[in-house]
Amino acid sequence: MLEGSADELDAAIAQAPNEPAVFVIRVKEGQPYLARTNLLRRRLLRLVAERSQTSRFLNLRSVAARVEYWPFASRLESSLLLYELARTSFPDNYQRFLKLRSPFFVRLVLNNAFARTTVTTRLTTAEAVQYGPFRTRAAGEAFETGFLDFFQLRRCQEDLMPSPEHPGCVYGEMGKCLRPCQEAVSAEEYRSESQRVAAFLETSGDSLVDSIVRQRDQLSESLEFEEAARTHKRLERVNAVLQARDELATDLEKLSGVAITRAIEPEAVCLWFFWKGRWHAQQTLSLKVVEGRPAPMDRRLKEAVAAVAPASRSSLRERQDHTALLSSWFYSSWRDGEWVPFADLSSVPYRKLVNAVHRVVHATT
Protein backbone atom coordinates (compact mmCIF):
# COMPACT_ATOMS: atom_id res chain seq x y z
CA MET A 1 0.00 0.00 0.00
CA LEU A 2 1.25 3.46 -0.95
CA GLU A 3 -0.15 6.66 0.55
CA GLY A 4 0.72 10.22 1.48
CA SER A 5 1.05 13.54 -0.30
CA ALA A 6 1.68 13.74 -4.04
CA ASP A 7 5.43 13.95 -3.51
CA GLU A 8 5.38 11.04 -1.05
CA LEU A 9 3.40 8.99 -3.56
CA ASP A 10 5.98 9.79 -6.22
CA ALA A 11 8.77 8.47 -4.01
CA ALA A 12 6.83 5.37 -3.04
CA ILE A 13 5.83 4.58 -6.62
CA ALA A 14 9.45 4.86 -7.71
CA GLN A 15 10.20 1.96 -5.35
CA ALA A 16 7.20 -0.15 -6.46
CA PRO A 17 7.98 -3.36 -8.37
CA ASN A 18 7.66 -3.20 -12.13
CA GLU A 19 5.78 -6.50 -12.40
CA PRO A 20 2.23 -7.74 -13.12
CA ALA A 21 -0.27 -6.57 -10.52
CA VAL A 22 -3.85 -5.58 -9.86
CA PHE A 23 -4.04 -2.12 -8.31
CA VAL A 24 -6.53 0.35 -6.88
CA ILE A 25 -6.02 4.10 -6.69
CA ARG A 26 -8.21 5.38 -3.87
CA VAL A 27 -9.33 8.96 -4.50
CA LYS A 28 -10.38 11.65 -2.07
CA GLU A 29 -13.95 11.60 -3.35
CA GLY A 30 -15.87 9.27 -5.65
CA GLN A 31 -15.18 5.80 -6.96
CA PRO A 32 -11.65 4.34 -7.00
CA TYR A 33 -9.63 3.56 -10.12
CA LEU A 34 -9.23 -0.23 -10.48
CA ALA A 35 -7.12 -1.91 -13.14
CA ARG A 36 -4.71 -4.70 -14.06
CA THR A 37 -1.27 -4.14 -15.55
CA ASN A 38 1.81 -6.09 -16.55
CA LEU A 39 4.17 -3.27 -15.48
CA LEU A 40 2.96 -1.78 -12.20
CA ARG A 41 5.52 1.00 -11.68
CA ARG A 42 5.29 2.32 -15.23
CA ARG A 43 1.47 2.33 -15.14
CA LEU A 44 1.33 4.14 -11.80
CA LEU A 45 3.82 6.75 -12.96
CA ARG A 46 1.62 7.47 -15.97
CA LEU A 47 -1.46 7.87 -13.79
CA VAL A 48 -0.05 9.79 -10.82
CA ALA A 49 3.12 11.51 -12.05
CA GLU A 50 3.17 15.27 -12.50
CA ARG A 51 2.26 16.19 -16.06
CA SER A 52 1.32 19.21 -18.11
CA GLN A 53 -2.30 20.22 -17.67
CA THR A 54 -2.72 20.22 -21.44
CA SER A 55 -1.98 16.50 -21.64
CA ARG A 56 -4.84 14.40 -22.93
CA PHE A 57 -3.88 11.38 -20.83
CA LEU A 58 -5.76 10.52 -17.63
CA ASN A 59 -4.00 11.95 -14.57
CA LEU A 60 -5.14 11.29 -11.01
CA ARG A 61 -2.36 13.15 -9.21
CA SER A 62 -4.59 15.85 -7.76
CA VAL A 63 -7.21 13.42 -6.36
CA ALA A 64 -5.16 10.29 -5.48
CA ALA A 65 -5.06 9.54 -1.76
CA ARG A 66 -3.77 5.97 -1.59
CA VAL A 67 -2.57 3.20 -3.90
CA GLU A 68 -3.01 -0.48 -3.12
CA TYR A 69 -1.65 -3.29 -5.27
CA TRP A 70 -1.53 -7.09 -5.37
CA PRO A 71 1.09 -8.86 -7.54
CA PHE A 72 -0.15 -11.89 -9.49
CA ALA A 73 1.48 -14.78 -11.32
CA SER A 74 -1.36 -15.97 -13.58
CA ARG A 75 -4.34 -14.59 -15.46
CA LEU A 76 -6.71 -16.69 -13.37
CA GLU A 77 -5.34 -15.17 -10.18
CA SER A 78 -5.69 -11.65 -11.58
CA SER A 79 -9.26 -12.34 -12.77
CA LEU A 80 -10.34 -13.55 -9.33
CA LEU A 81 -8.60 -10.59 -7.67
CA LEU A 82 -10.32 -8.13 -10.02
CA TYR A 83 -13.68 -9.80 -9.41
CA GLU A 84 -13.48 -9.49 -5.61
CA LEU A 85 -12.25 -5.87 -5.76
CA ALA A 86 -14.84 -4.87 -8.37
CA ARG A 87 -17.70 -6.33 -6.33
CA THR A 88 -16.58 -4.16 -3.41
CA SER A 89 -15.82 -1.02 -5.40
CA PHE A 90 -18.68 -1.14 -7.93
CA PRO A 91 -21.45 -3.28 -6.39
CA ASP A 92 -24.11 -2.07 -8.84
CA ASN A 93 -22.26 -2.51 -12.13
CA TYR A 94 -19.23 -4.73 -11.48
CA GLN A 95 -20.29 -7.16 -14.21
CA ARG A 96 -20.22 -4.39 -16.81
CA PHE A 97 -16.86 -3.15 -15.48
CA LEU A 98 -15.36 -6.66 -15.74
CA LYS A 99 -17.14 -7.38 -19.05
CA LEU A 100 -18.21 -10.60 -17.37
CA ARG A 101 -20.31 -12.60 -19.79
CA SER A 102 -22.27 -15.57 -18.60
CA PRO A 103 -21.63 -18.74 -20.62
CA PHE A 104 -24.40 -20.77 -22.23
CA PHE A 105 -26.23 -23.72 -20.69
CA VAL A 106 -28.74 -26.29 -21.85
CA ARG A 107 -31.60 -26.28 -19.37
CA LEU A 108 -34.19 -29.04 -19.05
CA VAL A 109 -37.22 -27.23 -17.62
CA LEU A 110 -38.92 -29.67 -15.24
CA ASN A 111 -41.38 -27.32 -13.54
CA ASN A 112 -43.46 -27.40 -16.71
CA ALA A 113 -46.12 -30.10 -17.02
CA PHE A 114 -44.59 -30.94 -20.41
CA ALA A 115 -40.82 -30.61 -19.90
CA ARG A 116 -38.69 -29.11 -22.64
CA THR A 117 -35.11 -27.92 -23.16
CA THR A 118 -33.79 -24.47 -23.88
CA VAL A 119 -30.39 -22.82 -24.32
CA THR A 120 -29.88 -19.93 -21.91
CA THR A 121 -27.27 -17.83 -20.10
CA ARG A 122 -29.28 -17.60 -16.87
CA LEU A 123 -29.20 -20.05 -14.03
CA THR A 124 -32.39 -20.74 -12.11
CA THR A 125 -33.50 -22.03 -8.75
CA ALA A 126 -36.60 -23.61 -10.28
CA GLU A 127 -36.80 -27.37 -10.78
CA ALA A 128 -34.49 -28.03 -13.72
CA VAL A 129 -31.37 -29.83 -14.90
CA GLN A 130 -28.75 -27.34 -16.13
CA TYR A 131 -25.96 -28.62 -18.36
CA GLY A 132 -22.88 -26.67 -19.40
CA PRO A 133 -21.06 -24.36 -19.64
CA PHE A 134 -20.61 -24.09 -23.42
CA ARG A 135 -18.29 -21.71 -25.28
CA THR A 136 -21.02 -20.27 -27.49
CA ARG A 137 -24.76 -20.45 -28.03
CA ALA A 138 -24.09 -22.38 -31.25
CA ALA A 139 -22.19 -25.06 -29.29
CA GLY A 140 -25.02 -25.37 -26.78
CA GLU A 141 -27.65 -25.57 -29.52
CA ALA A 142 -25.63 -28.19 -31.43
CA PHE A 143 -25.45 -30.38 -28.31
CA GLU A 144 -29.16 -29.85 -27.60
CA THR A 145 -30.15 -30.79 -31.15
CA GLY A 146 -27.80 -33.77 -31.14
CA PHE A 147 -28.97 -35.49 -27.96
CA LEU A 148 -32.68 -34.74 -28.53
CA ASP A 149 -32.52 -36.95 -31.62
CA PHE A 150 -32.32 -39.94 -29.24
CA PHE A 151 -35.45 -38.97 -27.32
CA GLN A 152 -39.01 -37.95 -28.07
CA LEU A 153 -39.13 -34.77 -26.04
CA ARG A 154 -40.94 -31.80 -27.51
CA ARG A 155 -38.83 -29.07 -29.12
CA CYS A 156 -41.43 -26.32 -29.29
CA GLN A 157 -41.27 -23.40 -26.85
CA GLU A 158 -45.01 -22.71 -26.57
CA ASP A 159 -47.10 -23.15 -23.43
CA LEU A 160 -49.02 -26.23 -24.45
CA MET A 161 -52.79 -26.52 -24.27
CA PRO A 162 -53.15 -30.19 -25.32
CA SER A 163 -56.03 -30.86 -27.66
CA PRO A 164 -56.79 -33.43 -30.37
CA GLU A 165 -57.35 -30.43 -32.65
CA HIS A 166 -53.80 -29.11 -32.23
CA PRO A 167 -52.03 -29.01 -35.64
CA GLY A 168 -48.80 -30.55 -34.25
CA CYS A 169 -45.43 -30.04 -35.92
CA VAL A 170 -42.92 -31.71 -38.21
CA TYR A 171 -41.09 -33.42 -35.31
CA GLY A 172 -44.27 -35.27 -34.41
CA GLU A 173 -44.68 -36.37 -38.01
CA MET A 174 -41.06 -37.62 -38.04
CA GLY A 175 -41.55 -39.63 -34.84
CA LYS A 176 -39.18 -37.38 -32.87
CA CYS A 177 -41.82 -36.12 -30.45
CA LEU A 178 -44.46 -37.90 -28.36
CA ARG A 179 -46.97 -35.24 -29.49
CA PRO A 180 -48.35 -34.23 -26.10
CA CYS A 181 -49.91 -31.22 -27.84
CA GLN A 182 -52.30 -33.60 -29.64
CA GLU A 183 -52.86 -35.75 -26.51
CA ALA A 184 -51.15 -38.68 -28.25
CA VAL A 185 -49.69 -39.67 -24.85
CA SER A 186 -50.73 -39.15 -21.26
CA ALA A 187 -48.96 -36.70 -18.95
CA GLU A 188 -47.44 -39.67 -17.06
CA GLU A 189 -46.02 -41.19 -20.25
CA TYR A 190 -44.49 -37.86 -21.24
CA ARG A 191 -43.07 -37.39 -17.75
CA SER A 192 -41.34 -40.77 -18.05
CA GLU A 193 -39.60 -39.59 -21.24
CA SER A 194 -38.53 -36.33 -19.62
CA GLN A 195 -37.05 -38.32 -16.72
CA ARG A 196 -34.98 -40.30 -19.23
CA VAL A 197 -33.64 -37.01 -20.62
CA ALA A 198 -32.89 -35.77 -17.09
CA ALA A 199 -30.96 -38.99 -16.37
CA PHE A 200 -29.01 -38.54 -19.61
CA LEU A 201 -27.91 -35.02 -18.61
CA GLU A 202 -27.24 -35.87 -14.96
CA THR A 203 -24.97 -38.79 -15.95
CA SER A 204 -23.37 -37.00 -18.94
CA GLY A 205 -24.86 -39.57 -21.28
CA ASP A 206 -23.89 -42.71 -19.34
CA SER A 207 -27.52 -43.74 -18.72
CA LEU A 208 -28.27 -43.89 -22.46
CA VAL A 209 -24.91 -45.42 -23.39
CA ASP A 210 -25.29 -48.21 -20.81
CA SER A 211 -28.85 -48.92 -21.99
CA ILE A 212 -27.77 -49.20 -25.65
CA VAL A 213 -24.78 -51.39 -24.78
CA ARG A 214 -27.01 -53.81 -22.83
CA GLN A 215 -29.49 -53.89 -25.69
CA ARG A 216 -26.76 -54.57 -28.25
CA ASP A 217 -25.24 -57.36 -26.16
CA GLN A 218 -28.63 -59.01 -25.66
CA LEU A 219 -29.28 -58.93 -29.39
CA SER A 220 -25.88 -60.45 -30.08
CA GLU A 221 -26.52 -63.25 -27.59
CA SER A 222 -29.85 -63.90 -29.33
CA LEU A 223 -28.00 -64.13 -32.68
CA GLU A 224 -29.91 -61.13 -34.04
CA PHE A 225 -26.78 -59.73 -35.61
CA GLU A 226 -28.39 -57.29 -38.05
CA GLU A 227 -30.38 -55.62 -35.28
CA ALA A 228 -27.29 -55.64 -33.05
CA ALA A 229 -25.34 -53.87 -35.82
CA ARG A 230 -28.02 -51.18 -36.10
CA THR A 231 -27.96 -50.74 -32.33
CA HIS A 232 -24.17 -50.40 -32.44
CA LYS A 233 -24.52 -47.68 -35.08
CA ARG A 234 -26.89 -45.87 -32.74
CA LEU A 235 -24.31 -46.17 -29.97
CA GLU A 236 -21.68 -44.61 -32.24
CA ARG A 237 -24.00 -41.66 -32.95
CA VAL A 238 -24.56 -41.10 -29.23
CA ASN A 239 -20.81 -41.20 -28.56
CA ALA A 240 -20.23 -38.73 -31.41
CA VAL A 241 -22.62 -36.25 -29.79
CA LEU A 242 -20.92 -36.66 -26.40
CA GLN A 243 -17.42 -36.32 -27.84
CA ALA A 244 -18.35 -33.13 -29.72
CA ARG A 245 -19.51 -31.25 -26.60
CA ASP A 246 -17.30 -28.64 -24.95
CA GLU A 247 -14.78 -29.90 -22.41
CA LEU A 248 -16.33 -28.33 -19.31
CA ALA A 249 -19.90 -29.30 -20.15
CA THR A 250 -21.55 -31.38 -17.45
CA ASP A 251 -24.45 -31.27 -15.02
CA LEU A 252 -23.74 -28.00 -13.20
CA GLU A 253 -24.40 -29.66 -9.84
CA LYS A 254 -21.32 -31.80 -10.56
CA LEU A 255 -19.07 -29.15 -12.11
CA SER A 256 -15.97 -29.38 -9.90
CA GLY A 257 -12.23 -29.33 -10.37
CA VAL A 258 -8.96 -27.68 -9.47
CA ALA A 259 -6.93 -25.20 -11.50
CA ILE A 260 -3.15 -25.35 -11.11
CA THR A 261 -1.33 -22.13 -11.99
CA ARG A 262 2.06 -20.52 -11.44
CA ALA A 263 2.80 -18.97 -8.06
CA ILE A 264 4.84 -15.86 -7.37
CA GLU A 265 7.21 -17.91 -5.24
CA PRO A 266 9.76 -19.95 -7.24
CA GLU A 267 9.21 -23.71 -7.47
CA ALA A 268 5.63 -23.38 -6.28
CA VAL A 269 2.12 -23.54 -7.70
CA CYS A 270 -1.28 -22.17 -6.72
CA LEU A 271 -4.23 -24.53 -6.31
CA TRP A 272 -7.65 -23.05 -7.03
CA PHE A 273 -10.52 -25.38 -6.13
CA PHE A 274 -13.86 -24.91 -7.87
CA TRP A 275 -16.49 -26.80 -5.89
CA LYS A 276 -20.22 -26.42 -5.20
CA GLY A 277 -20.54 -23.60 -7.71
CA ARG A 278 -17.79 -21.32 -6.45
CA TRP A 279 -14.04 -20.71 -6.34
CA HIS A 280 -12.45 -21.39 -2.96
CA ALA A 281 -9.49 -19.67 -1.34
CA GLN A 282 -6.12 -20.06 -3.06
CA GLN A 283 -3.66 -22.58 -1.65
CA THR A 284 0.07 -22.38 -2.41
CA LEU A 285 2.02 -25.62 -2.81
CA SER A 286 5.81 -25.33 -2.74
CA LEU A 287 8.03 -28.04 -4.25
CA LYS A 288 11.22 -26.56 -2.84
CA VAL A 289 13.10 -28.83 -0.44
CA VAL A 290 14.13 -26.80 2.59
CA GLU A 291 15.63 -29.47 4.83
CA GLY A 292 15.42 -33.23 5.08
CA ARG A 293 13.27 -35.36 2.82
CA PRO A 294 10.24 -33.67 1.24
CA ALA A 295 6.77 -34.91 2.15
CA PRO A 296 5.18 -37.16 -0.50
CA MET A 297 3.30 -35.07 -3.06
CA ASP A 298 0.08 -37.10 -2.87
CA ARG A 299 -0.07 -36.67 0.91
CA ARG A 300 0.37 -32.91 0.62
CA LEU A 301 -2.32 -32.75 -2.03
CA LYS A 302 -4.70 -34.72 0.18
CA GLU A 303 -4.06 -32.18 2.93
CA ALA A 304 -4.87 -29.40 0.45
CA VAL A 305 -8.13 -31.10 -0.51
CA ALA A 306 -9.04 -31.57 3.15
CA ALA A 307 -8.48 -27.84 3.70
CA VAL A 308 -11.21 -26.87 1.22
CA ALA A 309 -13.82 -25.32 3.50
CA PRO A 310 -17.41 -26.55 3.08
CA ALA A 311 -18.74 -23.01 2.74
CA SER A 312 -22.43 -22.25 2.79
CA ARG A 313 -24.28 -22.58 -0.49
CA SER A 314 -23.55 -19.71 -2.87
CA SER A 315 -26.25 -17.32 -3.98
CA LEU A 316 -27.55 -17.74 -7.52
CA ARG A 317 -25.79 -14.56 -8.70
CA GLU A 318 -22.48 -15.56 -7.11
CA ARG A 319 -22.70 -19.04 -8.59
CA GLN A 320 -23.35 -17.61 -12.05
CA ASP A 321 -20.44 -15.16 -11.67
CA HIS A 322 -17.99 -17.85 -10.54
CA THR A 323 -19.04 -20.20 -13.35
CA ALA A 324 -18.54 -17.34 -15.82
CA LEU A 325 -15.03 -16.73 -14.44
CA LEU A 326 -14.19 -20.42 -14.84
CA SER A 327 -15.57 -20.52 -18.36
CA SER A 328 -13.81 -17.32 -19.50
CA TRP A 329 -10.46 -18.64 -18.20
CA PHE A 330 -10.80 -22.23 -19.41
CA TYR A 331 -12.09 -21.43 -22.91
CA SER A 332 -9.77 -18.46 -23.49
CA SER A 333 -6.77 -18.37 -25.80
CA TRP A 334 -4.69 -17.00 -22.90
CA ARG A 335 -5.42 -19.79 -20.43
CA ASP A 336 -2.37 -20.41 -18.29
CA GLY A 337 -2.19 -23.47 -16.09
CA GLU A 338 -3.88 -26.85 -15.92
CA TRP A 339 -7.43 -27.97 -15.05
CA VAL A 340 -8.13 -31.30 -13.36
CA PRO A 341 -11.86 -32.09 -13.05
CA PHE A 342 -13.38 -34.32 -10.40
CA ALA A 343 -16.91 -35.33 -9.40
CA ASP A 344 -16.45 -34.75 -5.69
CA LEU A 345 -13.72 -34.05 -3.14
CA SER A 346 -13.78 -37.74 -2.21
CA SER A 347 -12.87 -38.76 -5.76
CA VAL A 348 -10.03 -36.38 -6.67
CA PRO A 349 -7.69 -38.08 -9.22
CA TYR A 350 -4.44 -37.58 -7.32
CA ARG A 351 -2.18 -39.10 -9.97
CA LYS A 352 -3.46 -36.67 -12.60
CA LEU A 353 -3.15 -33.85 -10.10
CA VAL A 354 0.48 -34.71 -9.27
CA ASN A 355 1.37 -34.83 -12.97
CA ALA A 356 -0.34 -31.49 -13.59
CA VAL A 357 1.54 -29.85 -10.71
CA HIS A 358 4.87 -31.05 -12.08
CA ARG A 359 4.03 -29.84 -15.60
CA VAL A 360 3.18 -26.34 -14.34
CA VAL A 361 6.34 -26.16 -12.19
CA HIS A 362 8.59 -27.35 -15.01
CA ALA A 363 6.97 -24.90 -17.45
CA THR A 364 8.01 -21.98 -15.23
CA THR A 365 11.58 -23.07 -14.47
Side-chain angles (χ1 to χ4, degrees), residues 51-71:
R51 187 181 295 128
S52 169
Q53 293 185 358
T54 61
S55 174
R56 293 176 296 174
F57 295 102
L58 176 66
N59 190 286
L60 302 175
R61 183 180 181 83
S62 61
V63 296
R66 187 172 75 253
V67 177
E68 302 170 19
Y69 65 89
W70 297 263

Side-chain angles (χ1 to χ4, degrees), residues 75-304:
R75 290 297 296 268
L76 177 61
E77 183 177 5
S78 68
S79 295
L80 296 177
L81 273 170
L82 271 174
Y83 171 74
E84 294 299 333
L85 291 166
R87 283 190 67 187
T88 304
S89 303
F90 319 111
D92 297 327
N93 63 348
Y94 68 89
Q95 291 176 323
R96 181 182 300 177
F97 171 81
L98 295 170
K99 299 180 181 178
L100 189 61
R101 296 182 178 179
S102 180
F104 293 90
F105 311 93
V106 174
R107 180 192 300 163
L108 173 63
V109 184
L110 294 173
N111 61 348
N112 189 303
F114 300 98
R116 58 181 174 80
T117 61
T118 184
V119 176
T120 179
T121 59
R122 297 290 182 182
L123 300 183
T124 180
T125 56
E127 185 182 4
V129 179
Q130 299 173 109
Y131 197 91
F134 292 91
R135 298 172 189 264
T136 61
R137 176 177 289 277
E141 290 175 344
F143 177 73
E144 178 192 34
T145 301
F147 82 79
L148 283 179
D149 283 341
F150 303 103
F151 300 95
Q152 291 182 293
L153 206 70
R154 72 184 180 105
R155 308 193 190 200
C156 57
Q157 302 294 312
E158 64 179 291
D159 293 327
L160 289 186
M161 299 292 291
S163 168
E165 306 302 321
H166 195 285
C169 69
V170 65
Y171 291 106
E173 297 296 327
M174 297 169 62
K176 293 186 175 183
C177 176
L178 290 176
R179 296 183 296 155
C181 56
Q182 298 176 317
E183 295 185 334
V185 295
S186 65
E188 289 74 19
E189 290 173 316
Y190 189 86
R191 188 177 301 112
S192 176
E193 184 70 0
S194 64
Q195 289 172 349
R196 289 183 62 233
V197 177
F200 173 87
L201 294 175
E202 290 169 347
T203 63
S204 289
D206 288 347
S207 61
L208 181 59
V209 169
D210 293 344
S211 174
I212 295 175
V213 168
R214 287 195 300 271
Q215 182 183 7
R216 181 197 61 188
D217 293 345
Q218 289 172 359
L219 289 169
S220 296
E221 291 173 1
S222 302
L223 304 182
E224 300 180 46
F225 299 120
E226 291 185 2
E227 191 63 31
R230 282 193 288 269
T231 304
H232 184 74
K233 288 290 185 182
R234 186 165 185 257
L235 176 63
E236 290 178 340
R237 293 198 301 273
V238 173
N239 285 329
V241 170
L242 295 174
Q243 290 169 4
R245 66 192 160 170
D246 288 343
E247 300 96 312
L248 280 180
T250 186
D251 177 6
L252 284 186
E253 293 297 325
K254 301 174 182 176
L255 179 59
S256 301
V258 55
I260 305 98
T261 65
R262 300 187 304 272
I264 294 176
E265 298 86 350
E267 298 183 50
V269 297
C270 291
L271 302 179
W272 308 87
F273 285 89
F274 186 92
W275 184 53
K276 290 190 177 297
R278 64 185 297 268
W279 289 102
H280 291 256
Q282 165 200 343
Q283 297 188 50
T284 302
L285 184 69
S286 176
L287 276 67
K288 185 180 294 184
V289 179
V290 179
E291 57 182 31
R293 298 180 59 187
M297 178 66 71
D298 57 347
R299 190 177 77 188
R300 297 171 64 193
L301 289 172
K302 288 177 182 178
E303 292 172 353

